[in-house]
């Protein structure tokens, strides 16, 4: 049997990583892993258990406690924390505001990377993994590495549309720029483009065009292996 394919898709917030990764995985018959959901899940657990998310020592001490299980089906990934479905709670504004602080803690990252590599080990055909440090740290030998970008304006408009106007485009833009700065500026495995990643600027591309572009890159790579 062929070696499993690992497709690493990184990039800042709102560039289309989740939508693209799920569709690429479904089209290629691969598993899917949303590593942002894992960081959100551990953040939700910290908040729910009264841990001060701005105290790195407290977060590090608690990092080994929650049991986080992420689904790998691109049609319905889901995520549980200590057996409870956390798919909804991890998307609240409270979690979004706290996740950069929690994910900057090295003990948290070590734990998540372990889960991420285990997910690939149990994906016989391969897996599409999306996040911030997948091509640089988690899978430096990934078959294909993609770095998605888009203008802050396009990303804010997309996200604000999702929130049905509950947050203005300007506030959404400011919040995502702040989160990107925190994610890019942390010491351990910051958000970064791997030297050998293909950068795809999605600002003026439809979702279908981005999906097609990545599927083609993976198929080309598979054909030459
Ligand atoms: N190329 C595109 N054109 C227009 N809209 C898009 C495109 N790609 C994604 N979107 C939309 O933008 C929004 C954000 O996409 P998505 O959640 O996939 O981004 P993300 O990079 O995973 O974000 P985050 O890092 O914050 O989780 C969604 O509403 C999605 O449907
Ligand atoms: N590989 C990853 C994935 C995510 N994070 C952190 C940083 C993000 O702000 C947060 C939430 O991710 P999202 O759901 O918006 O994709 O999780 C990280 O540090 N490393």
């Amino acid at each position: 049997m062929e070696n499993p394919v690992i497709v690493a898709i990184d990039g800042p917030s709102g560039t289309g990583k989740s939508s693209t990764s799920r569709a690429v995985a479904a089209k290629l018959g691969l598993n899917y892993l949303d590593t942002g959901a894992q960081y959100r899940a551990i953040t939700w657990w910290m908040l729910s258990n009264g841990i001060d998310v701005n105290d790195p020592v407290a977060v590090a001490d608690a990092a080994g406690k929650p049991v986080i299980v992420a689904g790998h089906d691109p049609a319905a990934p889901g995520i549980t924390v200590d057996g409870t479905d956390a798919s909804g709670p991890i998307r609240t504004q409270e979690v979004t505001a706290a996740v950069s602080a929690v994910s900057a803690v090295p003990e948290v990252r070590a734990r998540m990377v372990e889960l991420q590599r285990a997910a690939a080990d149990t994906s016989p055909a391969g897996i599409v993994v999306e996040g911030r440090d997948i091509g640089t740290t988690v899978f430096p030998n990934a078959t294909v590495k993609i770095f998605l970008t888009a203008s802050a304006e396009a990303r804010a408009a997309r996200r604000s549309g999702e929130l049905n106007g509950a947050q203005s485009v300007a506030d959404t833009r400011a919040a995502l720029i702040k989160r990107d700065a925190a994610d890019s500026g942390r010491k351990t495995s910051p958000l970064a483009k791997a030297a050998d990643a293909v950068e795809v600027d999605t600002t003026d591309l439809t979702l279908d065009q981005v999906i097609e572009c990545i599927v083609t890159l993976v198929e080309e790579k598979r054909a030459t292996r």
Side-chain angles (χ1 to χ4, degrees):
M1 191 168 157
E2 262 187 36
N3 283 339
V5 171
I6 297 185
V7 182
I9 302 191
D10 291 303
S13 312
T15 48
K17 297 181 300 297
S18 298
S19 333
T20 308
S21 301
R22 289 177 68 167
V24 168
K27 281 200 171 203
L28 295 172
L30 303 176
N31 278 350
Y32 162 72
L33 178 63
D34 178 355
T35 65
Q38 294 176 308
Y39 287 100
R40 286 173 178 275
I42 194 163
T43 301
W44 176 62
W45 183 91
M46 298 281 167
L47 291 167
S48 306
N49 285 274
I51 310 291
D52 178 356
V53 294
N54 294 308
D55 177 351
V57 174
V59 170
D61 283 350
K65 293 184 180 167
V67 178
I68 295 169
V69 180
H72 299 155
D73 177 356
I79 190 155
T80 62
V81 180
D82 294 338
T84 299
D85 180 10
S87 314
I90 64 167
R91 303 286 163 196
T92 60
Q93 295 286 9
E94 193 192 9
V95 171
T96 301
V99 67
S100 291
V102 172
S103 58
V105 175
E107 288 78 358
V108 168
R109 301 206 71 80
R111 181 118 201 276
M112 295 303 113
V113 171
E114 211 175 285
L115 295 178
Q116 292 154 11
R117 291 184 178 149
D121 287 344
T122 53
S123 297
I127 188 163
V128 179
V129 186
E130 56 135 321
R132 303 293 192 289
D133 62 338
I134 310 305
T136 54
T137 303
V138 185
F139 296 111
N141 298 319
T143 319
V144 173
K145 297 181 187 179
I146 307 290
F147 194 78
L148 291 185
T149 63
S151 70
E153 287 66 32
R155 296 187 285 133
R158 292 172 187 173
R159 274 269 170 263
S160 179
E162 267 180 352
L163 299 171
N164 287 328
Q167 194 177 37
S168 72
V169 178
D171 286 353
T172 307
R173 183 179 184 280
L176 54 87
I177 286 174
K178 186 176 170 203
R179 187 148 62 96
D180 289 345
D183 295 339
S184 308
R186 67 173 174 242
K187 274 207 185 115
T188 311
S189 303
L191 159 66
K193 176 180 174 293
D196 52 350
V198 177
E199 183 165 332
V200 180
D201 183 345
T202 73
T203 307
D204 297 316
L205 298 179
T206 65
L207 182 54
D208 282 347
Q209 286 172 320
V210 183
I211 295 162
E212 205 41 53
C213 164
I214 296 173
V215 166
T216 304
L217 285 170
V218 176
E219 281 172 342
E220 282 172 1
K221 194 72 182 217
R222 266 176 160 174
T224 59
R225 286 205 301 165

